[in-house]
CSV table of all heavy atoms in Angstrom, one decimal:
chain,number,residue,atom,x,y,z
J,10,TYR,N,108.5,99.4,121.9
J,10,TYR,CA,108.8,100.8,122.2
J,10,TYR,C,109.7,101.5,121.1
J,10,TYR,O,109.5,102.7,120.8
J,10,TYR,CB,109.6,100.9,123.5
J,10,TYR,CG,109.0,100.1,124.6
J,10,TYR,CD1,109.4,98.8,124.9
J,10,TYR,CD2,107.9,100.6,125.3
J,10,TYR,CE1,108.8,98.0,125.9
J,10,TYR,CE2,107.2,99.8,126.3
J,10,TYR,CZ,107.7,98.6,126.6
J,10,TYR,OH,107.1,97.8,127.5
J,11,ASP,N,110.5,100.7,120.4
J,11,ASP,CA,111.3,101.2,119.3
J,11,ASP,C,110.4,101.6,118.1
J,11,ASP,O,110.6,102.6,117.5
J,11,ASP,CB,112.3,100.1,118.9
J,11,ASP,CG,113.2,99.7,120.0
J,11,ASP,OD1,113.9,100.6,120.6
J,11,ASP,OD2,113.3,98.5,120.4
J,12,VAL,N,109.4,100.7,117.9
J,12,VAL,CA,108.5,101.0,116.7
J,12,VAL,C,107.6,102.1,117.1
J,12,VAL,O,107.3,103.0,116.2
J,12,VAL,CB,107.7,99.7,116.4
J,12,VAL,CG1,106.8,99.9,115.2
J,12,VAL,CG2,108.6,98.5,116.1
J,13,ILE,N,107.1,102.1,118.3
J,13,ILE,CA,106.2,103.2,118.7
J,13,ILE,C,106.9,104.6,118.6
J,13,ILE,O,106.4,105.6,118.1
J,13,ILE,CB,105.7,103.0,120.2
J,13,ILE,CG1,104.7,101.8,120.2
J,13,ILE,CG2,105.0,104.3,120.7
J,13,ILE,CD1,104.4,101.4,121.6
J,14,GLY,N,108.2,104.6,119.1
J,14,GLY,CA,109.0,105.8,119.0
J,14,GLY,C,109.2,106.3,117.6
J,14,GLY,O,109.1,107.5,117.3
J,15,ALA,N,109.5,105.3,116.7
J,15,ALA,CA,109.7,105.7,115.3
J,15,ALA,C,108.4,106.2,114.7
J,15,ALA,O,108.4,107.2,114.0
J,15,ALA,CB,110.1,104.4,114.5
J,16,ASN,N,107.3,105.6,115.0
J,16,ASN,CA,106.0,106.0,114.4
J,16,ASN,C,105.6,107.4,114.9
J,16,ASN,O,105.1,108.2,114.1
J,16,ASN,CB,104.9,105.0,114.8
J,16,ASN,CG,105.0,103.7,114.0
J,16,ASN,OD1,105.7,103.6,113.0
J,16,ASN,ND2,104.4,102.7,114.5
J,17,LYS,N,105.8,107.7,116.2
J,17,LYS,CA,105.5,109.0,116.8
J,17,LYS,C,106.3,110.1,116.2
J,17,LYS,O,105.9,111.2,116.2
J,17,LYS,CB,105.5,108.9,118.3
J,17,LYS,CG,104.4,108.1,118.9
J,17,LYS,CD,104.4,108.3,120.4
J,17,LYS,CE,103.2,107.6,121.0
J,17,LYS,NZ,103.2,107.7,122.5
J,18,THR,N,107.6,109.8,115.9
J,18,THR,CA,108.5,110.8,115.4
J,18,THR,C,108.5,110.9,113.8
J,18,THR,O,109.2,111.7,113.3
J,18,THR,CB,109.9,110.6,115.9
J,18,THR,OG1,110.3,109.3,115.5
J,18,THR,CG2,110.0,110.8,117.4
J,19,GLY,N,107.7,110.0,113.2
J,19,GLY,CA,107.6,110.1,111.7
J,19,GLY,C,108.7,109.5,110.9
J,19,GLY,O,108.9,109.9,109.8
J,20,ILE,N,109.4,108.5,111.5
J,20,ILE,CA,110.5,107.9,110.7
J,20,ILE,C,110.2,106.4,110.6
J,20,ILE,O,109.3,105.8,111.2
J,20,ILE,CB,111.9,108.0,111.4
J,20,ILE,CG1,112.0,107.3,112.7
J,20,ILE,CG2,112.2,109.5,111.6
J,20,ILE,CD1,113.4,107.3,113.3
J,21,ASP,N,110.9,105.7,109.6
J,21,ASP,CA,110.6,104.3,109.4
J,21,ASP,C,111.3,103.5,110.5
J,21,ASP,O,112.1,104.0,111.2
J,21,ASP,CB,111.2,103.9,108.0
J,21,ASP,CG,110.3,104.4,106.9
J,21,ASP,OD1,109.2,105.0,107.1
J,21,ASP,OD2,110.7,104.2,105.7
J,22,SER,N,110.9,102.2,110.5
J,22,SER,CA,111.5,101.3,111.5
J,22,SER,C,111.7,99.9,110.9
J,22,SER,O,111.0,99.5,110.0
J,22,SER,CB,110.5,101.2,112.7
J,22,SER,OG,109.2,100.7,112.3
J,23,ILE,N,112.7,99.3,111.5
J,23,ILE,CA,113.0,97.8,111.2
J,23,ILE,C,112.9,97.1,112.5
J,23,ILE,O,113.7,97.3,113.4
J,23,ILE,CB,114.4,97.6,110.6
J,23,ILE,CG1,114.6,98.4,109.3
J,23,ILE,CG2,114.6,96.1,110.4
J,23,ILE,CD1,116.0,98.4,108.7
J,24,ALA,N,111.9,96.3,112.7
J,24,ALA,CA,111.7,95.5,113.9
J,24,ALA,C,112.4,94.2,113.7
J,24,ALA,O,112.2,93.5,112.7
J,24,ALA,CB,110.2,95.3,114.2
J,25,VAL,N,113.1,93.8,114.7
J,25,VAL,CA,113.9,92.5,114.7
J,25,VAL,C,113.3,91.5,115.7
J,25,VAL,O,113.0,91.9,116.8
J,25,VAL,CB,115.4,92.8,114.9
J,25,VAL,CG1,116.0,93.7,113.9
J,25,VAL,CG2,115.7,93.3,116.3
J,26,THR,N,113.2,90.3,115.3
J,26,THR,CA,112.6,89.3,116.1
J,26,THR,C,113.6,88.4,116.8
J,26,THR,O,113.2,87.5,117.6
J,26,THR,CB,111.6,88.4,115.3
J,26,THR,OG1,112.4,87.7,114.3
J,26,THR,CG2,110.5,89.2,114.7
J,27,TYR,N,114.9,88.7,116.6
J,27,TYR,CA,115.9,87.9,117.3
J,27,TYR,C,116.2,88.4,118.7
J,27,TYR,O,117.0,87.7,119.5
J,27,TYR,CB,117.2,87.8,116.5
J,27,TYR,CG,117.9,89.2,116.3
J,27,TYR,CD1,118.6,89.8,117.3
J,27,TYR,CD2,117.8,89.8,115.0
J,27,TYR,CE1,119.2,91.0,117.1
J,27,TYR,CE2,118.4,91.0,114.8
J,27,TYR,CZ,119.1,91.6,115.8
J,27,TYR,OH,119.7,92.9,115.6
J,28,GLY,N,115.6,89.5,119.1
J,28,GLY,CA,115.8,90.0,120.5
J,28,GLY,C,114.7,89.5,121.5
J,28,GLY,O,114.4,88.4,121.5
J,29,TYR,N,114.1,90.5,122.2
J,29,TYR,CA,113.2,90.1,123.3
J,29,TYR,C,111.8,90.5,123.1
J,29,TYR,O,110.9,90.2,124.0
J,29,TYR,CB,113.7,90.7,124.6
J,29,TYR,CG,114.9,90.0,125.1
J,29,TYR,CD1,116.2,90.3,124.7
J,29,TYR,CD2,114.8,88.8,125.9
J,29,TYR,CE1,117.3,89.6,125.1
J,29,TYR,CE2,115.9,88.1,126.3
J,29,TYR,CZ,117.2,88.5,125.9
J,29,TYR,OH,118.3,87.7,126.3
J,30,GLY,N,111.4,91.1,122.0
J,30,GLY,CA,110.0,91.3,121.6
J,30,GLY,C,109.5,90.2,120.7
J,30,GLY,O,110.2,89.8,119.8
J,31,SER,N,108.3,89.8,121.0
J,31,SER,CA,107.7,88.7,120.2
J,31,SER,C,107.3,89.3,118.8
J,31,SER,O,107.1,90.5,118.7
J,31,SER,CB,106.5,88.1,120.8
J,31,SER,OG,105.5,89.0,120.9
J,32,ARG,N,107.1,88.4,117.8
J,32,ARG,CA,106.6,88.8,116.5
J,32,ARG,C,105.3,89.5,116.7
J,32,ARG,O,105.0,90.6,116.0
J,32,ARG,CB,106.5,87.6,115.6
J,32,ARG,CG,106.0,87.9,114.2
J,32,ARG,CD,105.9,86.6,113.4
J,32,ARG,NE,105.4,86.8,112.1
J,32,ARG,CZ,106.2,87.1,111.1
J,32,ARG,NH1,107.5,87.1,111.2
J,32,ARG,NH2,105.7,87.3,109.9
J,33,GLU,N,104.4,89.0,117.5
J,33,GLU,CA,103.1,89.5,117.7
J,33,GLU,C,103.2,90.9,118.3
J,33,GLU,O,102.5,91.9,117.9
J,33,GLU,CB,102.3,88.6,118.6
J,33,GLU,CG,101.9,87.3,118.0
J,33,GLU,CD,103.1,86.3,117.9
J,33,GLU,OE1,104.1,86.5,118.7
J,33,GLU,OE2,103.1,85.5,117.0
J,34,GLU,N,104.0,91.1,119.3
J,34,GLU,CA,104.2,92.4,120.0
J,34,GLU,C,104.6,93.5,118.9
J,34,GLU,O,104.1,94.6,118.9
J,34,GLU,CB,105.3,92.4,121.1
J,34,GLU,CG,105.7,93.7,121.6
J,34,GLU,CD,106.9,93.6,122.6
J,34,GLU,OE1,107.0,92.7,123.4
J,34,GLU,OE2,107.7,94.5,122.5
J,35,LEU,N,105.6,93.1,118.1
J,35,LEU,CA,106.1,94.0,117.1
J,35,LEU,C,105.1,94.3,116.0
J,35,LEU,O,104.9,95.5,115.6
J,35,LEU,CB,107.4,93.5,116.5
J,35,LEU,CG,108.6,93.4,117.5
J,35,LEU,CD1,109.7,92.5,117.0
J,35,LEU,CD2,109.1,94.7,117.9
């Protein structure tokens, strides 16, 4: 949801895998 939100608003994103989203999801 963080990456989707960034993409939809036109900003860059840093996805982190130490939380609760899997690498594949991100």
Side-chain angles (χ1 to χ4, degrees):
Y10 312 97
D11 302 302
V12 181
I13 291 169
N16 290 340
K17 285 186 175 180
T18 55
I20 67 172
D21 284 357
S22 60
I23 302 173
V25 302
T26 60
Y27 61 78
Y29 285 90
S31 68
R32 181 182 179 88
E33 293 71 28
E34 171 190 318
L35 294 165

